Amino acid sequence: MIYIAPSLLAADFANLQTDVKRIADAGANYLHLDVMDGAFVPNISFGAPVIAALRPYSKLIFDVHLMINDPLRYIDDFVKAGADIITIHLESCSNVSQTLRYIRAKEVRCALAISPATPVEKIIPYLSEIDMALIMTVVPGFGRQSLIPETLEKVKTVRRYADSQNLKLDIEVDGGLKPENVHLATEAGANIIVAGSAVFGSKRPRSVIEAMRETAANHPYRQ
Ligand code: DX5
Ligand code: ZN
């Protein structure tokens, strides 16, 4: 099963409640929430209060992508805000395992992300400790960038390793995904697709989500 996770970063910030309902009605599975602190990445987006405000209005799986330094300091806030999945960046903290354990103890799904410059070997030791690996397909910080094709090799490596160890692992890809290239990600082994501008930016989000899901289903990962 392929899950589509539209990123709120591309929503109309003056009408978040309406926009979230619009993509839920269009068939989205997850709501991807990009939290940026202006330090780990150059941009500042939104934080836990915005997520908490949206929570009562949506049944979507809240997929919180923390692009912040020392995320351990803020895990409680995002759990309270209603996160279902919390992703931290491997590059953002020195105590990766401790932070993952902390997230897991809160009974939310825990995930680890790597940026395009980080070698895939760095995430391998953590795969047994996480529910989802997030392979960034653009440099984190901004929406509307083009997918970096070389990052898909990392998806393949992680999927092969997870299979070889019988790990039940979700692999999410994030950045530059659209109906025209989603097949490259699913063939590589990704099963959760973040799409910001492609979905929120469209007047017909249902057609975009359906096109992505159909293309992805026709191009599954094969060992
Ligand atoms: C980038 C974010 C992405 C981004 C995706 O730092 O993590 O989630 O919003 O946006 P698109 O799909 O427009 O590339
Ligand atoms: Zn993201």
Side-chain angles (χ1 to χ4, degrees), residues 179-201:
E180 296 75 28
N181 61 14
V182 68
H183 64 287
L184 300 173
T186 56
E187 278 169 352
N191 66 317
I192 303 178
I193 313 292
V194 177
S197 43
V199 176
F200 275 107

Side-chain angles (χ1 to χ4, degrees), residues 15-198:
N15 292 291
L16 289 180
Q17 190 186 329
T18 328
D19 244 17
V20 169
K21 186 174 183 311
R22 194 167 67 91
I23 60 107
D25 292 347
N29 307 101
Y30 291 23
L31 181 65
H32 186 81
L33 296 145
D34 285 308
V35 176
M36 304 179 181
D37 65 354
F40 177 67
V41 290
N43 201 6
I44 299 177
S45 58
F46 52 81
V50 171
I51 298 173
L54 284 170
R55 185 70 278 188
Y57 299 101
S58 181
K59 290 193 167 53
L60 291 169
I61 293 176
F62 276 21
D63 169 26
V64 176
H65 177 193
L66 296 182
M67 286 164 274
I68 64 176
N69 281 330
D70 301 321
L72 185 55
R73 299 175 293 159
Y74 294 103
I75 301 304
D76 285 342
D77 291 353
F78 288 102
V79 171
K80 269 191 222 121
D84 296 297
I85 306 172
I86 296 183
T87 302
I88 58 162
H89 265 262
L90 193 144
E91 307 86 0
S92 72
C93 51
S94 46
N95 44 5
V96 174
S97 281
Q98 187 195 354
T99 311
L100 292 172
R101 273 198 305 276
Y102 194 85
I103 296 170
R104 178 154 274 168
K106 299 284 171 185
E107 294 184 354
V108 298
R109 277 146 76 181
C110 76
L112 188 60
I114 51 168
S115 298
T118 304
V120 68
E121 291 72 30
K122 296 253 165 133
I123 200 173
I124 299 290
Y126 298 103
L127 296 182
S128 59
E129 302 171 31
I130 59 179
D131 300 299
M132 180 178 92
L134 167 49
I135 307 297
M136 288 303 300
T137 42
V138 298
V139 176
F142 300 92
R144 294 171 202 280
Q145 303 180 71
S146 298
L147 178 139
I148 303 168
E150 294 76 29
T151 57
L152 297 172
E153 284 304 315
K154 294 185 195 176
V155 176
K156 283 185 200 157
T157 305
V158 169
R159 180 55 78 203
R160 266 193 243 115
Y161 183 85
D163 284 355
S164 74
Q165 302 297 308
N166 284 321
L167 295 175
K168 209 181 141 295
L169 182 76
D170 286 319
I171 302 181
E172 181 172 68
V173 281
D174 183 6
L177 275 308
K178 48 192 176 183
E180 296 75 28
N181 61 14
V182 68
H183 64 287
L184 300 173
T186 56
E187 278 169 352
N191 66 317
I192 303 178
I193 313 292
V194 177
S197 43

